[in-house]
Amino acid sequence: MATPSSSSQGRLPVGSGNAAAAVSITVVVKLLAFTIAMIVLPIGSYYATLNRLFDGNGIYAAVTAAVVANLVVVAYIITAVLEGREPDKKKKE
């Protein structure tokens, strides 16, 4: 089993053995945050708009929930792409 070194502080080992990759704590926190957002925001938007905005029309409220879920996915993708570019900036400096 691989032992943590000073260069891997703040990283969690994933897998087992010497081939284990290191995952940053910030990546795990972002994943958990977007997972919670993917559960809470669409359901919350459905119930928030069902009677307040759409007067009980479940179809419009469901479409709103689907749009919110897609927005969460797009936000996650943008965050992941921008996170992938951060090391490139550090290499250039």
Side-chain angles (χ1 to χ4, degrees):
M1 183 175 266
T3 58
S5 65
S6 61
S7 65
S8 66
Q9 285 181 334
R11 295 184 178 268
L12 297 172
V14 176
S16 61
N18 293 334
V23 177
S24 173
I25 294 292
T26 57
V27 172
V28 174
V29 169
K30 286 179 187 177
L31 180 63
L32 288 174
F34 278 102
T35 300
I36 292 169
M38 185 55 116
I39 295 168
V40 172
L41 292 179
I43 295 171
S45 67
Y46 175 82
Y47 286 110
T49 60
L50 181 62
N51 291 320
R52 291 187 184 109
L53 190 60
F54 299 125
D55 296 326
N57 190 339
I59 301 228
Y60 291 142
V63 169
T64 302
V67 168
V68 169
N70 282 303
L71 290 175
V72 172
V73 170
V74 168
Y76 179 73
I77 291 170
I78 290 171
T79 303
V81 168
L82 293 177
E83 182 179 296
R85 291 185 180 177
E86 289 176 5
D88 293 340
K89 291 179 183 177
K90 291 179 183 176
K91 288 180 184 177
K92 290 180 182 178
E93 292 177 356

